Amino acid sequence: MVLSLFERTIARRYLLPGRNEAFIALVAGISVGVVMLSVAMLVIVMSVMNGFRAELLDKIVGLNGHAIVQAYGERLDNWEDVLRDARETPGVVSASPLIEKPLMASYNGRIAGVLVRGNTQEDIGNLAPNLVAGNLTELSGGAKNVALGSRLAANMGLRVGDTITLYNPEGRTTPFGTMPRQVGYRVAAIFEVGIYDYDDQFVVMPMRDAQQLLLMGDTVGMIEITTTDADRVEEILEPIRRQLDGRAVVNTWKTINSTLFEALQVERVAMFFALSFMVLVAAFNILSSLVMLVRAKTRDIAIMRTMGATRRSLLKIFVTTGFTVGALGTVAGLVLGFLVLAFRQQIVKVIEVVTGQNLWDPSIRFLSTLPARVDPLEIAGIVALALVLSFLATLYPAFKASSTDPVQVLRYE
């Protein structure tokens, strides 16, 4: 919509009301503020929800892959053949054997339930970015060294160099019954993945040591698989699922964590729907401010009509005025939203200090820090929503102004 010099001048004049029009200026300012806050809230909430999903997916996939091939009875026979077939399946990036078993652990009189994971040396090396203390290279087969999650180590008072005792209830059989197998392992490293449950339970050891502890011989419990596309994991692994039908089950990240990710998706949609009403309220603010402006400028509109201003010109002037208010609020909202996202962790800490409440308990939130990930397409959708509603809010006042009859207005002037 191209404006003439006359139309731009009048629109600019109406955007900056004079001293005698302070109330109109206040209403227009409130309209800008409401649009700003609504856009900022949408940007912040949707980015945080996206961050939750992305961070959880990245961290879960980093430890478990996109899918797990798990044998019935917790022992996968001929696992080398299954591993080879999985690696040769189109769309599979990597596949590796895995042992995972819940056990009990003790140290210095403290007892805790742990999840023992037997990994290959390559998978153990992938924990390097999450290393907090110690050295992962010391986790070699037969060395009886393990790596612990940071919260597990803190809860049990363990440090690098200490010895943790693991108990396997399936021990050796004696005339007095089955004696639990207990083995001491030196803590060689401490890691922090960032997911509370993992950091609070995981004990990682080489595959060979896990097989010896669990008396599994040369077998493994499962195979973890990573694919080229996490969202198409079922389609990619369908040949493997058919091949292993009756021998093992293929669980994807979607089924393993279905409750969590479905809850996040429902909450994400609900929050977007609820916060979109704030943008609608902002549009009504723009509409009300324009209606007040049209009523205050009725005489000016009549004079412009008698001087030759067309209905189209008046329509363009008031549409431009209202749309500019919405555009300014949208830009300000984007800036505010990105600033809050950039300093989100510091803001959470300040609120915690002021209120004295723990707003981010990792045991409840799963993640150690507040995540955020900006989706350009979503931001574009939020901007489009705000601008379209702002434009629609200008139509009624603009048509009302353009239909003003100068004869009726100026009859008694």
Side-chain angles (χ1 to χ4, degrees), residues 206-233:
M207 181 74 64
R208 176 181 165 187
D209 289 352
Q211 289 171 335
Q212 291 177 350
L213 172 64
L214 300 173
L215 304 176
M216 296 181 64
D218 193 37
T219 62
V220 300
M222 58 192 74
I223 292 175
E224 60 176 352
I225 300 174
T226 303
T227 63
T228 54
D229 188 349
D231 293 324
R232 293 180 53 246
V233 62

Side-chain angles (χ1 to χ4, degrees), residues 6-21:
F6 161 71
E7 293 163 350
R8 288 199 303 271
T9 302
I10 300 300
R12 188 183 304 113
R13 172 69 181 81
Y14 287 167
L15 281 170
L16 301 172
R19 294 181 179 179
N20 297 329
E21 300 163 339

Side-chain angles (χ1 to χ4, degrees), residues 142-202:
K144 289 191 175 181
N145 290 330
V146 296
L148 306 182
S150 59
R151 295 190 180 275
L152 174 61
N155 292 338
M156 297 190 69
L158 285 159
R159 294 178 295 180
V160 173
D162 293 337
T163 299
I164 183 174
T165 302
L166 299 179
Y167 297 88
N168 178 14
E170 299 177 2
R172 64 182 183 274
T173 303
T174 70
F176 302 98
T178 302
M179 298 297 294
R181 178 178 172 81
Q182 55 181 5
V183 182
Y185 293 90
R186 176 180 172 272
V187 178
I190 296 174
F191 61 87
E192 183 171 333
V193 177
I195 297 181
Y196 181 86
D197 289 348
Y198 291 174
D199 294 334
D200 190 50
Q201 296 181 1
F202 273 19

